[in-house]
Amino acid sequence: MRILLVEDDALLGDALQVGLRQADHVVDWVRDGISAETALMTGDYAAVVLDLGLPRLDGLDVLRHLRAKKKTLPVLILTARDTVDDRIRGLDAGADDYLVKPFDLGELTARLRALLRRAGGQSSPVLAAGRVTLDPATRRVECDGSEVEVPPKEYALLHALMQQPGRALSRAQLEQHLYAWGDEIGSNAVEVYIHHLRRKLGPDVIRTLRGIGYVVAKAAAKP
Ligand code: CA
């Protein structure tokens, strides 16, 4: 999923970017509050990891402005401000979760998974669509109970679709999930990845809605 990372500390930001990418996220990294607001206006992010002590505009103000615009994407605050009052202020300003530095990268990525799952309306940690299941914690994809090897870009695309079953995503929206700033985008890359996924998972898991985009069906309710 595409994450906006807002962190002015170069060493920590670099480590976070690497860690989030290893967790199969696409990451755009900005280092001050104004750049964060600009990125949030133009980019389609699944979640924000937000430092509070930032140059130019405090992270709490970035968060308040975001919520004032009725943007509901999950925000995880990552900060050295660790008093109870700080946490209450952060959550009241519209944060969905709060981690105090120093923190464990494994815990950060697990909390992000939980936020993304809830934002997608999913309560179960393993996503399901028809015969296919995807476990964001282990990155394991199964079809009819057998593991299927799925390289990172195909995985990111499948994850984006399975996160919100029944919702069609256009090619441009899917590209947002696959590429960070500065990445080179192949002109028909999305079609190629969809083609590979259909070959591995069967033709009917990802449907094409002509002129609209791609969709995976909602899992049938269990009897
Ligand atoms: Ca800072």
Side-chain angles (χ1 to χ4, degrees), residues 6-9 12 31 51-55 78-81 101:
V6 190
E7 172 60 67
D8 61 316
D9 183 289
L12 181 58
R31 300 160 193 235
D51 181 27
L52 292 186
L54 291 168
L78 200 58
T79 181
R81 297 179 194 166
K101 299 171 184 173

Side-chain angles (χ1 to χ4, degrees), residues 96-114:
D96 298 275
D97 204 350
Y98 200 105
L99 258 182
V100 174
K101 299 171 184 173
F103 59 92
D104 179 82
L105 190 60
E107 181 177 359
L108 170 67
T109 53
R111 283 175 183 249
L112 264 181
R113 277 196 297 278

